[in-house]
Amino acid sequence: MKYKHNAEQKEFELGRHKFNDYFVYVQSHLHDDITLELPPGKLTRSERRVVQTKFIEWIDQFKGEARDKVLRLCREAGYVEEDIRALSSVRKGRRIAAAYRLGGMRAEEAVPQLQHLLNRMSYGPMTIIIARAIAKSADQTQQIREMLTRMLSYDKGIHHMAADILVETRLDSASLMRKLLDDSDPGLVKVALVAMWGQAVPAAVPTLDRLVGSEEKDVRAEAVKLYLSSNPALEDDTITQLMTDHAWEVRVVTAKALGRLHAAGSIPLLTEALKDDNWHVRNHSAESLAMLGEQGFEMLCQAALTGTGPARETALYRIERTMANEGDHEAVEQMVAFNKKKLMYDHYFGIQPSKRIGKVAGVGGDYTA
């Protein structure tokens, strides 16, 4: 197997060198008003694979008219038709390789067969390849929905993986996200919420406000996470409602965001959350208190002295981390903030006396006095 692999790699590199001038020709005329030609002569199977691989590489890199020209070359060369036939091969490896290449070539005509292939497979790494090929090639929203539904039917908790696959689509993301957020399947709603991270979808904001009150805790947690990431002006009633939610996932997301939002009015709620039954809620509440200046740090010190059980342990741990991490700051504002916390720490826990160590000079006698 190693010998065969090395031989194939060597042949592939020779092919890349052989077609270097052709690749330069294509790149030089991608934006010109001309029709690009295929390589001259009859190519061997290996040479066809070299050219196809380069085309797929360009398709991932280019957009607009340049990408369309390369896609047209793939169809004229017969690559799409050839790989669609390969989807019916009895060899599993050949089917998977063909699915990967069809996704790279954005072959919308191959989507029905790719969906059929996905529906016949049990969950595994190969299903991810096929699902990603469908996402890249689909030209209809329903095709994306069917692919996501099949992925979630495996019941493997792969919502984040499905969201990563979803963003590969070439369909309009705003329209697609709106439809998925309004879907009756909570799994699809969660995938859309995860996929919205890092994407500006203003049209989805009204739906997001509605999902914050969803009965599904996973959906509610993701919606709250997105809602808080938009830096909203939080009211006290909203903070109280989120910090007392019966789902610990929602309480964690809220506690984590309050420190970043510098919501000083939430300090009493974060202090009370140090007694929460869930470790994640306690830890993120303590971390947010440490981020809320002197007042938040003082509440940690009080909890460490007067608290009991997990609340006291969590407060002590966060105080130790804060004192260890904030002593290396070079910015003046950070140094001032750290010094204020240091004074407060010494006030609550006392200053440990340091013993003066006498030193005897090696030459000239004892000058320690």
Coordinates of all heavy atoms in Angstrom, one line a residue, residues 80-165:
V80 N -18.0 16.0 -14.0 CA -19.3 15.8 -13.2 C -20.0 14.6 -13.6 O -20.4 13.8 -12.8 CB -20.2 17.1 -13.5 CG1 -21.5 16.8 -12.8 CG2 -19.5 18.3 -12.9
E81 N -20.2 14.3 -14.9 CA -20.9 13.1 -15.4 C -20.1 11.9 -15.0 O -20.8 10.9 -14.6 CB -21.0 13.2 -16.9 CG -21.7 12.0 -17.5 CD -21.8 12.1 -19.1 OE1 -21.4 13.2 -19.6 OE2 -22.3 11.2 -19.7
E82 N -18.8 11.9 -15.0 CA -18.0 10.8 -14.7 C -18.2 10.4 -13.2 O -18.3 9.2 -12.8 CB -16.5 11.1 -15.0 CG -15.6 10.0 -14.6 CD -14.1 10.4 -14.9 OE1 -13.9 11.1 -15.9 OE2 -13.2 10.0 -14.1
D83 N -18.2 11.4 -12.3 CA -18.3 11.1 -10.9 C -19.7 10.8 -10.5 O -19.9 10.1 -9.5 CB -17.8 12.4 -10.1 CG -16.3 12.4 -10.0 OD1 -15.6 11.4 -10.0 OD2 -15.7 13.6 -10.0
I84 N -20.7 11.3 -11.2 CA -22.1 10.8 -10.9 C -22.2 9.3 -11.2 O -22.9 8.6 -10.4 CB -23.1 11.7 -11.8 CG1 -23.1 13.1 -11.2 CG2 -24.5 11.0 -11.7 CD1 -24.1 14.0 -12.0
R85 N -21.6 8.9 -12.3 CA -21.6 7.4 -12.6 C -20.9 6.7 -11.5 O -21.3 5.5 -11.1 CB -21.0 7.1 -13.9 CG -21.8 7.6 -15.1 CD -21.3 6.9 -16.4 NE -19.9 7.2 -16.6 CZ -19.4 8.2 -17.4 NH1 -20.3 9.1 -17.9 NH2 -18.1 8.3 -17.6
A86 N -19.8 7.2 -10.9 CA -19.0 6.6 -9.9 C -19.8 6.4 -8.6 O -19.5 5.5 -7.8 CB -17.7 7.3 -9.6
L87 N -20.9 7.2 -8.4 CA -21.7 7.1 -7.2 C -22.4 5.7 -7.1 O -22.8 5.3 -6.1 CB -22.7 8.2 -7.1 CG -22.2 9.6 -6.8 CD1 -23.4 10.6 -6.8 CD2 -21.5 9.6 -5.5
S88 N -22.5 5.0 -8.3 CA -23.2 3.7 -8.3 C -22.2 2.6 -8.3 O -22.6 1.4 -8.5 CB -24.0 3.6 -9.6 OG -25.0 4.6 -9.7
S89 N -20.9 2.9 -8.0 CA -19.9 1.9 -8.0 C -20.1 0.9 -6.8 O -20.6 1.3 -5.8 CB -18.5 2.5 -7.9 OG -17.5 1.5 -7.7
V90 N -19.7 -0.3 -7.0 CA -19.8 -1.3 -5.9 C -18.7 -1.1 -4.9 O -18.8 -1.6 -3.8 CB -19.7 -2.8 -6.5 CG1 -20.9 -3.1 -7.4 CG2 -18.4 -3.0 -7.2
R91 N -17.7 -0.3 -5.2 CA -16.6 0.0 -4.3 C -16.9 1.2 -3.5 O -17.2 2.3 -4.0 CB -15.3 0.2 -5.0 CG -14.8 -1.1 -5.8 CD -13.6 -0.7 -6.7 NE -12.6 0.0 -5.9 CZ -11.5 0.6 -6.5 NH1 -11.4 0.5 -7.8 NH2 -10.6 1.2 -5.8
K92 N -17.0 1.0 -2.1 CA -17.3 2.1 -1.3 C -16.4 3.3 -1.4 O -16.8 4.5 -1.4 CB -17.4 1.6 0.2 CG -17.9 2.7 1.2 CD -18.0 2.1 2.6 CE -18.5 3.1 3.6 NZ -18.6 2.5 5.0
G93 N -15.1 3.0 -1.4 CA -14.1 4.0 -1.5 C -14.2 4.9 -2.7 O -14.1 6.1 -2.7
R94 N -14.6 4.3 -3.8 CA -14.8 5.0 -5.1 C -16.0 5.9 -5.0 O -16.0 7.1 -5.5 CB -14.9 4.1 -6.2 CG -14.9 4.8 -7.6 CD -15.1 3.8 -8.7 NE -15.1 4.5 -10.0 CZ -15.5 4.0 -11.1 NH1 -15.9 2.7 -11.2 NH2 -15.4 4.7 -12.3
R95 N -17.1 5.4 -4.3 CA -18.3 6.2 -4.1 C -18.0 7.5 -3.3 O -18.5 8.6 -3.6 CB -19.4 5.4 -3.5 CG -19.9 4.2 -4.3 CD -21.2 3.7 -3.9 NE -21.2 3.3 -2.5 CZ -20.9 2.1 -2.0 NH1 -20.6 1.2 -2.9 NH2 -20.9 1.8 -0.7
I96 N -17.3 7.3 -2.2 CA -17.0 8.4 -1.3 C -16.1 9.5 -2.0 O -16.3 10.7 -1.9 CB -16.3 7.9 0.0 CG1 -17.2 6.9 0.7 CG2 -15.9 9.1 0.9 CD1 -18.6 7.6 1.2
A97 N -15.1 9.0 -2.7 CA -14.2 9.9 -3.4 C -15.0 10.7 -4.5 O -14.8 11.9 -4.7 CB -13.1 9.1 -4.1
A98 N -15.9 10.0 -5.2 CA -16.7 10.7 -6.2 C -17.6 11.8 -5.5 O -17.8 12.9 -6.0 CB -17.6 9.7 -6.9
A99 N -18.2 11.4 -4.3 CA -19.1 12.4 -3.6 C -18.2 13.6 -3.2 O -18.7 14.8 -3.3 CB -19.7 11.7 -2.4
Y100 N -17.0 13.4 -2.7 CA -16.2 14.5 -2.3 C -15.9 15.5 -3.5 O -16.0 16.7 -3.4 CB -14.9 14.0 -1.8 CG -13.8 15.1 -1.5 CD1 -13.9 15.8 -0.3 CD2 -12.8 15.3 -2.4 CE1 -13.0 16.8 -0.1 CE2 -11.9 16.3 -2.2 CZ -12.0 17.1 -1.0 OH -11.0 18.0 -0.8
R101 N -15.6 14.9 -4.7 CA -15.3 15.7 -5.8 C -16.5 16.4 -6.4 O -16.4 17.6 -6.8 CB -14.6 14.8 -6.9 CG -13.3 14.3 -6.6 CD -12.6 13.7 -7.8 NE -13.3 12.5 -8.3 CZ -13.0 11.3 -7.9 NH1 -12.0 11.0 -7.0 NH2 -13.6 10.2 -8.3
L102 N -17.7 15.8 -6.3 CA -18.9 16.4 -6.8 C -19.3 17.6 -5.9 O -19.7 18.6 -6.4 CB -20.1 15.4 -6.8 CG -20.0 14.3 -7.9 CD1 -21.0 13.2 -7.6 CD2 -20.3 14.9 -9.2
G103 N -19.0 17.5 -4.6 CA -19.2 18.6 -3.8 C -18.3 19.8 -4.1 O -18.7 20.9 -4.1
G104 N -17.0 19.4 -4.4 CA -16.0 20.4 -4.8 C -16.4 21.1 -6.1 O -16.1 22.3 -6.3
M105 N -17.1 20.4 -7.0 CA -17.5 21.0 -8.3 C -18.9 21.6 -8.2 O -19.4 22.0 -9.3 CB -17.5 19.9 -9.4 CG -16.0 19.4 -9.7 SD -16.0 18.2 -11.0 CE -16.8 16.8 -10.3
R106 N -19.5 21.6 -7.0 CA -20.9 22.2 -6.9 C -21.9 21.7 -7.9 O -22.6 22.4 -8.5 CB -20.8 23.8 -7.0 CG -19.7 24.5 -6.2 CD -19.8 24.1 -4.7 NE -19.0 25.0 -3.9 CZ -17.7 24.8 -3.5 NH1 -17.1 23.7 -3.9 NH2 -17.1 25.7 -2.7
A107 N -21.9 20.3 -8.0 CA -22.7 19.7 -9.0 C -24.2 19.5 -8.5 O -24.5 18.5 -7.8 CB -22.1 18.3 -9.3
E108 N -25.0 20.5 -8.8 CA -26.4 20.4 -8.3 C -27.2 19.2 -8.8 O -28.1 18.7 -8.2 CB -27.2 21.7 -8.6 CG -27.3 22.1 -10.0 CD -26.1 23.0 -10.5 OE1 -25.2 23.1 -9.7 OE2 -26.2 23.5 -11.6
E109 N -26.8 18.7 -10.0 CA -27.5 17.6 -10.6 C -27.2 16.3 -9.9 O -27.9 15.3 -10.1 CB -27.1 17.5 -12.1 CG -25.7 17.3 -12.4 CD -25.0 18.6 -12.7 OE1 -25.1 19.5 -11.9 OE2 -24.2 18.6 -13.7
A110 N -26.2 16.3 -9.1 CA -25.8 15.1 -8.3 C -26.5 15.0 -7.0 O -26.4 14.0 -6.3 CB -24.3 15.0 -8.1
V111 N -27.2 16.1 -6.5 CA -27.8 16.1 -5.2 C -28.8 14.9 -4.9 O -28.7 14.3 -3.9 CB -28.4 17.5 -4.9 CG1 -29.2 17.4 -3.6 CG2 -27.3 18.5 -4.9
P112 N -29.7 14.6 -5.9 CA -30.6 13.5 -5.6 C -29.9 12.2 -5.3 O -30.3 11.5 -4.4 CB -31.5 13.4 -6.9 CG -31.4 14.8 -7.4 CD -30.1 15.3 -7.1
Q113 N -28.9 11.9 -6.1 CA -28.1 10.6 -5.8 C -27.3 10.7 -4.5 O -27.2 9.7 -3.8 CB -27.2 10.3 -7.0 CG -27.9 9.7 -8.2 CD -26.9 9.2 -9.3 OE1 -26.7 9.9 -10.3 NE2 -26.2 8.1 -9.0
L114 N -26.8 11.9 -4.2 CA -26.0 12.0 -3.0 C -27.0 11.8 -1.8 O -26.6 11.2 -0.8 CB -25.4 13.4 -2.9 CG -24.2 13.6 -3.8 CD1 -23.8 15.1 -3.9 CD2 -23.0 12.8 -3.4
Q115 N -28.2 12.4 -1.9 CA -29.2 12.2 -0.8 C -29.5 10.7 -0.6 O -29.7 10.2 0.5 CB -30.4 13.0 -1.1 CG -30.2 14.5 -0.9 CD -31.4 15.3 -1.2 OE1 -32.2 15.0 -2.2 NE2 -31.7 16.4 -0.5
H116 N -29.7 10.0 -1.8 CA -30.0 8.6 -1.7 C -28.9 7.8 -1.1 O -29.1 6.9 -0.2 CB -30.3 8.1 -3.1 CG -30.6 6.6 -3.2 ND1 -31.8 6.1 -2.7 CD2 -29.9 5.6 -3.7 CE1 -31.8 4.8 -2.9 NE2 -30.6 4.4 -3.5
L117 N -27.7 8.2 -1.4 CA -26.5 7.5 -0.8 C -26.4 7.8 0.7 O -26.1 6.9 1.5 CB -25.2 8.0 -1.5 CG -23.9 7.3 -1.1 CD1 -24.0 5.9 -1.5 CD2 -22.8 8.0 -1.9
L118 N -26.7 9.0 1.1 CA -26.7 9.4 2.5 C -27.7 8.6 3.3 O -27.5 8.2 4.4 CB -26.9 10.9 2.7 CG -26.9 11.5 4.1 CD1 -25.5 11.3 4.8 CD2 -27.3 12.9 4.1
N119 N -28.9 8.5 2.7 CA -30.0 7.8 3.4 C -29.8 6.3 3.6 O -30.3 5.7 4.5 CB -31.3 8.0 2.7 CG -31.8 9.5 2.7 OD1 -31.5 10.2 3.6 ND2 -32.6 9.8 1.7
R120 N -28.9 5.7 2.8 CA -28.6 4.3 2.9 C -27.5 4.0 3.9 O -27.2 2.9 4.2 CB -28.3 3.7 1.5 CG -29.5 3.7 0.6 CD -29.2 2.8 -0.7 NE -28.1 3.4 -1.5 CZ -26.9 2.8 -1.7 NH1 -26.7 1.6 -1.1 NH2 -26.0 3.3 -2.4
M121 N -26.8 5.0 4.3 CA -25.6 4.8 5.1 C -25.9 5.0 6.6 O -26.7 5.8 7.0 CB -24.5 5.8 4.7 CG -23.9 5.7 3.3 SD -22.6 6.8 3.0 CE -21.3 6.1 4.1
S122 N -25.2 4.2 7.4 CA -25.2 4.4 8.9 C -24.2 5.5 9.2 O -23.3 5.8 8.4 CB -24.9 3.1 9.6 OG -23.6 2.6 9.2
Y123 N -24.3 6.0 10.4 CA -23.5 7.2 10.8 C -22.0 6.8 10.9 O -21.6 5.7 11.4 CB -23.9 7.8 12.1 CG -23.0 8.9 12.6 CD1 -23.2 10.2 11.9 CD2 -22.1 8.8 13.5 CE1 -22.4 11.2 12.3 CE2 -21.3 9.8 13.9 CZ -21.4 11.1 13.3 OH -20.7 12.1 13.7
G124 N -21.2 7.7 10.3 CA -19.7 7.5 10.4 C -19.0 8.7 9.7 O -19.7 9.6 9.2
P125 N -17.7 8.6 9.6 CA -17.0 9.8 9.0 C -17.4 10.0 7.5 O -17.4 11.1 7.0 CB -15.5 9.3 9.0 CG -15.5 8.4 10.2 CD -16.8 7.7 10.2
M126 N -17.8 8.9 6.8 CA -18.2 9.0 5.4 C -19.5 9.9 5.2 O -19.6 10.5 4.2 CB -18.4 7.6 4.8 CG -17.2 6.7 4.9 SD -15.7 7.4 4.2 CE -14.5 6.1 4.5
T127 N -20.4 9.8 6.2 CA -21.6 10.6 6.1 C -21.3 12.1 6.2 O -22.0 12.8 5.5 CB -22.6 10.2 7.3 OG1 -21.9 10.5 8.5 CG2 -22.9 8.7 7.2
I128 N -20.3 12.5 6.9 CA -19.9 13.9 6.9 C -19.5 14.4 5.5 O -19.8 15.5 5.1 CB -18.8 14.1 8.0 CG1 -19.2 13.6 9.3 CG2 -18.4 15.6 8.0 CD1 -20.4 14.2 9.9
I129 N -18.7 13.5 4.8 CA -18.2 13.9 3.5 C -19.4 14.1 2.6 O -19.5 15.1 1.8 CB -17.3 12.8 3.0 CG1 -16.0 12.7 3.8 CG2 -16.9 13.1 1.5 CD1 -15.1 11.6 3.5
I130 N -20.4 13.1 2.6 CA -21.5 13.2 1.7 C -22.4 14.4 2.1 O -22.9 15.1 1.2 CB -22.3 11.9 1.8 CG1 -21.4 10.7 1.3 CG2 -23.6 12.0 0.9 CD1 -22.1 9.4 1.4
A131 N -22.6 14.6 3.4 CA -23.5 15.8 3.8 C -22.8 17.1 3.4 O -23.5 18.0 2.9 CB -23.6 15.7 5.3
R132 N -21.5 17.2 3.5 CA -20.9 18.4 3.1 C -21.0 18.6 1.6 O -21.1 19.7 1.1 CB -19.4 18.4 3.5 CG -18.8 19.8 3.6 CD -17.3 19.7 4.1 NE -17.3 19.2 5.5 CZ -17.4 20.1 6.5 NH1 -17.6 21.3 6.3 NH2 -17.4 19.6 7.8
A133 N -20.9 17.5 0.8 CA -21.1 17.6 -0.7 C -22.5 18.1 -1.0 O -22.6 18.9 -1.9 CB -20.8 16.3 -1.3
I134 N -23.5 17.6 -0.3 CA -24.8 18.1 -0.5 C -25.0 19.6 -0.2 O -25.6 20.3 -1.0 CB -25.8 17.2 0.3 CG1 -25.8 15.8 -0.2 CG2 -27.2 17.8 0.2 CD1 -26.7 14.9 0.7
A135 N -24.4 20.0 0.9 CA -24.5 21.4 1.3 C -23.9 22.3 0.2 O -24.4 23.4 -0.1 CB -23.8 21.6 2.6
K136 N -22.7 21.9 -0.3 CA -22.0 22.7 -1.3 C -22.8 22.7 -2.7 O -22.7 23.7 -3.4 CB -20.6 22.1 -1.6 CG -19.7 22.4 -0.4 CD -18.3 21.8 -0.8 CE -17.3 22.1 0.3 NZ -15.9 21.6 0.0
S137 N -23.5 21.6 -3.0 CA -24.1 21.5 -4.3 C -25.5 21.9 -4.4 O -26.0 22.2 -5.5 CB -23.9 20.0 -4.8 OG -22.6 19.6 -4.8
A138 N -26.2 21.8 -3.3 CA -27.7 22.0 -3.3 C -28.1 23.4 -3.8 O -27.4 24.4 -3.5 CB -28.3 21.8 -1.9
D139 N -29.1 23.5 -4.6 CA -29.6 24.8 -5.1 C -31.1 25.0 -4.6 O -31.7 25.9 -5.1 CB -29.6 24.8 -6.6 CG -30.4 23.7 -7.3 OD1 -30.9 22.8 -6.5 OD2 -30.5 23.7 -8.5
Q140 N -31.5 24.2 -3.7 CA -32.9 24.3 -3.1 C -32.8 24.2 -1.6 O -32.1 23.4 -1.0 CB -33.8 23.3 -3.6 CG -34.0 23.3 -5.1 CD -34.9 22.2 -5.6 OE1 -35.7 21.6 -4.9 NE2 -34.8 21.8 -6.9
T141 N -33.6 25.0 -0.9 CA -33.6 25.0 0.6 C -34.0 23.7 1.1 O -33.5 23.2 2.1 CB -34.5 26.1 1.1 OG1 -34.1 27.4 0.6 CG2 -34.5 26.2 2.6
Q142 N -35.0 23.0 0.4 CA -35.6 21.8 0.9 C -34.5 20.7 0.9 O -34.5 19.8 1.8 CB -36.7 21.3 0.0 CG -37.4 20.1 0.4 CD -38.0 20.1 1.8 OE1 -38.4 21.2 2.3 NE2 -38.2 19.0 2.5
Q143 N -33.6 20.7 0.0 CA -32.5 19.7 -0.1 C -31.6 19.9 1.2 O -31.1 18.9 1.7 CB -31.7 19.9 -1.4 CG -32.4 19.6 -2.6 CD -31.7 20.0 -3.9 OE1 -30.8 20.8 -3.9 NE2 -32.0 19.3 -5.0
I144 N -31.3 21.1 1.6 CA -30.5 21.4 2.8 C -31.2 20.8 4.0 O -30.7 20.2 4.9 CB -30.2 22.9 2.9 CG1 -29.4 23.4 1.8 CG2 -29.5 23.1 4.2 CD1 -28.0 22.8 1.7
R145 N -32.5 21.1 4.0 CA -33.3 20.6 5.2 C -33.3 19.1 5.3 O -33.2 18.6 6.4 CB -34.8 21.2 5.1 CG -35.6 20.9 6.3 CD -37.1 21.3 6.2 NE -37.8 21.1 7.4 CZ -38.2 19.9 7.9 NH1 -37.9 18.8 7.2 NH2 -38.8 19.8 9.0
E146 N -33.5 18.4 4.2 CA -33.5 17.0 4.2 C -32.2 16.4 4.6 O -32.1 15.4 5.4 CB -33.9 16.4 2.8 CG -35.3 16.7 2.4 CD -35.6 16.2 1.0 OE1 -34.7 15.6 0.4 OE2 -36.7 16.5 0.5
M147 N -31.1 17.0 4.2 CA -29.8 16.6 4.6 C -29.6 16.8 6.1 O -29.1 15.9 6.8 CB -28.7 17.4 3.8 CG -27.3 17.0 4.2 SD -26.6 18.0 5.6 CE -26.6 19.7 4.8
L148 N -30.0 17.9 6.6 CA -29.8 18.2 8.1 C -30.7 17.2 8.9 O -30.3 16.8 10.0 CB -30.2 19.6 8.4 CG -29.2 20.7 7.8 CD1 -29.8 22.1 8.1 CD2 -27.8 20.6 8.5
T149 N -31.9 17.0 8.4 CA -32.8 16.1 9.1 C -32.2 14.7 9.2 O -32.3 14.0 10.3 CB -34.2 16.0 8.4 OG1 -34.7 17.3 8.4 CG2 -35.1 15.1 9.2
R150 N -31.6 14.2 8.1 CA -31.0 12.9 8.1 C -29.8 12.9 9.1 O -29.6 11.9 9.8 CB -30.5 12.6 6.7 CG -29.7 11.3 6.6 CD -30.6 10.1 7.1 NE -29.8 8.8 7.1 CZ -30.2 7.7 7.6 NH1 -31.3 7.7 8.4 NH2 -29.5 6.6 7.5
M151 N -29.0 14.0 9.1 CA -27.8 14.0 10.0 C -28.3 14.0 11.5 O -27.7 13.3 12.3 CB -27.0 15.3 9.8 CG -26.4 15.4 8.4 SD -25.0 14.2 8.3 CE -23.9 14.8 9.5
L152 N -29.3 14.7 11.8 CA -29.8 14.7 13.2 C -30.5 13.4 13.6 O -30.6 13.1 14.8 CB -30.8 15.9 13.4 CG -30.1 17.3 13.2 CD1 -31.2 18.4 13.4 CD2 -29.0 17.5 14.1
S153 N -31.0 12.7 12.6 CA -31.7 11.4 12.9 C -30.8 10.4 13.5 O -31.2 9.4 14.1 CB -32.4 10.9 11.6 OG -31.4 10.4 10.7
Y154 N -29.5 10.5 13.3 CA -28.5 9.6 13.9 C -28.5 9.7 15.4 O -27.9 8.8 16.1 CB -27.1 9.8 13.3 CG -27.0 9.5 11.8 CD1 -26.7 10.5 11.0 CD2 -27.2 8.3 11.3 CE1 -26.5 10.3 9.6 CE2 -27.1 8.0 10.0 CZ -26.8 9.0 9.1 OH -26.7 8.8 7.8
D155 N -29.0 10.8 15.9 CA -29.1 11.1 17.4 C -27.7 11.0 18.0 O -27.5 10.3 19.0 CB -30.0 10.0 18.0 CG -30.4 10.5 19.4 OD1 -30.4 11.7 19.7 OD2 -30.8 9.6 20.2
K156 N -26.7 11.7 17.4 CA -25.3 11.7 17.9 C -24.9 13.0 18.6 O -23.8 13.2 18.9 CB -24.4 11.3 16.8 CG -24.6 10.0 16.2 CD -24.2 8.9 17.1 CE -24.3 7.5 16.5 NZ -24.0 6.4 17.4
G157 N -25.9 13.9 18.7 CA -25.5 15.2 19.3 C -24.5 16.0 18.4 O -23.5 16.5 19.0
I158 N -24.7 16.0 17.1 CA -23.8 16.6 16.2 C -24.3 18.0 15.7 O -24.1 18.3 14.5 CB -23.4 15.7 15.1 CG1 -24.7 15.2 14.3 CG2 -22.7 14.5 15.6 CD1 -24.4 14.4 13.1
H159 N -25.0 18.7 16.5 CA -25.5 20.0 16.0 C -24.4 21.0 15.6 O -24.6 21.7 14.6 CB -26.4 20.6 17.1 CG -27.6 19.8 17.5 ND1 -27.5 18.8 18.4 CD2 -28.9 19.9 17.1 CE1 -28.7 18.2 18.5 NE2 -29.6 18.9 17.7
H160 N -23.3 21.0 16.3 CA -22.3 21.9 15.9 C -21.6 21.5 14.6 O -21.2 22.3 13.7 CB -21.2 22.0 17.0 CG -21.7 22.9 18.2 ND1 -22.6 22.4 19.1 CD2 -21.3 24.1 18.6 CE1 -22.8 23.3 20.0 NE2 -22.1 24.4 19.7
M161 N -21.5 20.2 14.4 CA -20.9 19.6 13.1 C -21.9 20.0 12.0 O -21.5 20.4 10.9 CB -20.7 18.1 13.2 CG -20.3 17.5 11.9 SD -18.7 18.0 11.3 CE -17.6 17.1 12.5
A162 N -23.2 19.8 12.3 CA -24.2 20.1 11.2 C -24.2 21.6 10.9 O -24.4 21.9 9.7 CB -25.6 19.6 11.7
A163 N -24.0 22.4 11.9 CA -23.9 23.9 11.6 C -22.7 24.2 10.8 O -22.8 25.1 9.9 CB -23.9 24.6 12.9
D164 N -21.6 23.5 11.0 CA -20.4 23.8 10.3 C -20.6 23.3 8.8 O -20.1 24.0 7.9 CB -19.2 23.0 10.9 CG -17.9 23.2 10.1 OD1 -17.4 24.3 10.1 OD2 -17.4 22.2 9.6
I165 N -21.3 22.3 8.6 CA -21.7 21.8 7.2 C -22.6 22.8 6.6 O -22.5 23.1 5.4 CB -22.3 20.4 7.3 CG1 -21.2 19.4 7.8 CG2 -22.8 20.0 5.9 CD1 -21.8 18.0 8.0

